[in-house]
Amino acid sequence: MSADQKLKDLGLSLPEVPSPVATYVSFKRVGDMVYLSGQGPKRADGTYPTGKVGADVSIEEAYEHAKQTGLGLLAAMKKAAGSLDKVEVVKLLGMVNAAPDFSDHPKVINGCSDLFVAVLGDNGRHARSAVGMGSLPNRMTVEIEVIIKVLP
């Protein structure tokens, strides 16, 4: 089953690839590797969920924010590779806007990782870091960047 069909079966659709807000590009392809710029959980109206995970935002809410971020990253992957069926996720860096005593960063970033595996199967499995940050742009709850390989 194609990745597009899996998205449809999950009741999900890909957003438009966000335009960069500064001096960078959405992704950079080098040979068969693509480096995707960090994205956050941008809503359809252009706003972001904000707050500190572990204080203002629950793990469950932040998991959904990471999943929403994953949809944006899948859209960028599709644009970069031409098809999600030609994508292998290599590395993911998940950053959580966390309260100082918060320590469940992996549970939050699982929202994105779980989505990648649900849509891409084994090609969605990846190496990963999930870390806490003192702040993130726009006070958003999560930011995630990804490295992928484009398959022949």
Side-chain angles (χ1 to χ4, degrees):
M1 179 185 313
S2 74
D4 287 333
Q5 185 60 51
K6 288 179 186 176
L7 277 167
K8 184 181 271 189
D9 290 351
L10 292 168
L12 301 171
S13 61
L14 298 180
E16 293 294 320
V17 177
S19 298
V21 296
T23 310
Y24 63 91
V25 293
S26 298
F27 59 85
K28 180 78 170 186
R29 186 167 177 167
V30 180
D32 61 355
M33 302 300 289
V34 179
Y35 300 81
L36 282 74
S37 293
Q39 289 191 34
K42 192 173 188 179
R43 297 181 181 119
D45 67 2
T47 64
Y48 295 88
T50 61
K52 293 282 186 187
V53 180
D56 314 311
V57 180
S58 72
I59 291 172
E60 295 77 17
E61 289 170 312
Y63 175 98
E64 291 300 321
H65 299 166
K67 182 177 178 181
Q68 180 64 38
T69 302
L71 286 170
L73 290 163
L74 285 169
M77 289 178 206
K78 185 173 183 177
K79 185 174 182 179
S83 168
L84 288 176
D85 297 321
K86 295 174 59 176
V87 167
E88 179 181 355
V89 181
V90 176
K91 177 75 165 92
L92 182 152
L93 170 60
M95 297 163 275
V96 179
N97 186 0
D101 61 344
F102 184 75
S103 61
D104 284 328
H105 311 93
K107 290 180 181 176
V108 171
I109 301 305
N110 280 346
C112 185
S113 295
D114 292 347
L115 174 68
F116 287 176
V117 173
V119 173
L120 303 172
D122 282 341
N123 283 345
R125 297 190 183 281
H126 49 271
R128 184 179 90 173
S129 299
V131 298
M133 299 290 175
S135 66
L136 288 173
N138 301 311
R139 296 187 51 237
M140 62 188 164
T141 53
V142 298
E143 182 176 356
I144 301 172
E145 67 177 46
V146 178
I147 301 170
I148 64 169
K149 180 177 181 179
V150 178
L151 304 171

